[in-house]
Structures are given as C-alpha cells and as structure tokens.
Amino acid sequence: EAQVTQNPRYLITVTGKKLTVTCSQNMNHEYMSWYRQDPGLGLRQIYYSMNVEVTDKGDVPEGYKVSRKEKRNFPLILESPSPNQTSLYFCASSNLGAYGYTFGSGTRLTVV
Amino acid sequence: AQSVAQPEDQVNVAEGNPLTVKCTYSVSGNPYLFWYVQYPNRGLQFLLKYITGDNLVKGSYGFEAEFNKSQTSFHLKKPSALVSDSALYFCAVGSNDYKLSFGAGTTVTVRA
C-alpha cells in the first residue's frame, strides 16, 4: 500500500530534550515536506525537500532541522524543544508533476 | 507569496441541506487547488483537486468544487449534507514550486 509513515503518533517530552520524528514514504516520491497544524492557523510548512540532499526552509523553520540522506526518509529533528513547539505535525510527499500529495497520519507532540 | 483564505471558521447545516465551504486564494501564476478533510484524531484525507481543465471538479464522498479564476475562488460544495460530513475542511493552493499553502480551516457541523 502506498503510504507515508510517521513515528511516533504521540510524544510527550520535556523542554530541551532532543527528539526526532521519523517520516518514510514507499512511493519513490522526490518531494517531501513537514507541516505543523495549530488551531486557527491551519497547516504551516516547516521544511521541504525536492530530492536527496536538497532541503529548504518553509514558513516556520525556527527550532527545527531536517535531513534527506535517502529518498524515502525525511526525519524532523528538534534539537532543543520548547513548549511553543507543542503541535500536530504532518509529513507529506509528492510525485513532482502529478500534484498528488500524500500525508502521514500525524504526530501529536507535547513539550512540557 | 501565495495564500488561502477560508472566511468562515464554522459552517452549520441541517442534514439533507446543501453544504458550501468557501475558499479564496492568491498565487502568482497558475493555481493548483486542493480540498482536504480531517476527521477528529485523524490525518488529512484528500477530497479533490483542480490542476487544469474543467472548472467543475468532482471528488470523493459526493463533494465537488468550482474553480472561478475571475473571483479567485474554489468553493467546496455538496448538494445534500450528511451527519458524517461533520469534520474540519482545509483548502490549499500550490504553484509551480510545489509548495502547498493551507487556509486556517473551516469546521463543518451537520445536525440531524
């Protein structure tokens, strides 16, 4: 089944403790992206990647890092999480040109 | 810069009545327009998209949307709403750089 897999689904952590949210897709998509969803703000793009070793900032990149060492994986790294990063996070991938975006199931992160 | 406006935070309709969720957009170049739905504690589900061609787009679960270039709108419609259509709806716009920008979302409540 074609899908984007995010782990974990739920995470509660403490301020300053480094964490990684993994994202993997099995569709050989070039494009991958991370979004955060907050009430009243919709989804805002954090980082995106057009292909392996090519990443760029989205609208709200502060406090986040990403890497794209393999085509299928696009982990989101929070080096020093803060409470304002408490949010629902979505990973997405797309086959460039087809304009079909597939979203993961989401990761609900709480930073206390 | 591209953006999406969903002017209504909430839409309330009775079951069996027509449902309309409004969306206007701003983008340089040709727009690629999408509607997604999110049920409680679930990820984003794709409903429909407009890339090119016929201005009336039919999607999943009986939903349709009409692309209006002069009014820069892409309103989502369903002729007869169901209680199960109650959810959070997002409009999104993309362009040639493949970035998706989302509206803030509209909560639809269909009462029995």
Side-chain angles (χ1 to χ4, degrees), chain B residues 85-100:
Chain B
D85 293 328
S86 298
L88 180 58
Y89 290 79
F90 289 104
C91 181
V93 66
S95 60
N96 290 337
D97 64 359
Y98 300 98
K99 174 183 177 180
L100 271 186

Side-chain angles (χ1 to χ4, degrees), chain B residues 16-73:
Chain B
N17 281 1
L19 169 64
T20 299
V21 186
K22 295 179 181 177
C23 170
T24 59
Y25 66 89
S26 174
V27 68
S28 300
N30 294 323
Y32 307 117
L33 296 156
F34 303 80
W35 276 102
Y36 290 87
V37 60
Q38 185 179 39
Y39 298 99
N41 300 314
R42 302 287 294 274
L44 290 169
Q45 293 184 27
F46 170 79
L47 281 179
L48 51 80
K49 68 180 177 183
Y50 170 84
I51 305 298
T52 186
D54 195 347
N55 289 345
L56 183 63
V57 180
K58 293 188 182 297
S60 308
Y61 313 120
F63 284 94
E64 59 187 31
E66 185 164 12
F67 170 63
N68 188 318
K69 188 173 183 178
S70 63
Q71 298 185 5
T72 60
S73 67

Side-chain angles (χ1 to χ4, degrees), chain B residues 5-11 20-23 75 89 104-108:
Chain B
Q6 293 182 241
E8 299 159 317
D9 293 336
Q10 292 201 1
V11 170
T20 299
V21 186
K22 295 179 181 177
C23 170
H75 302 329
Y89 290 79
T106 299
T107 300
V108 171

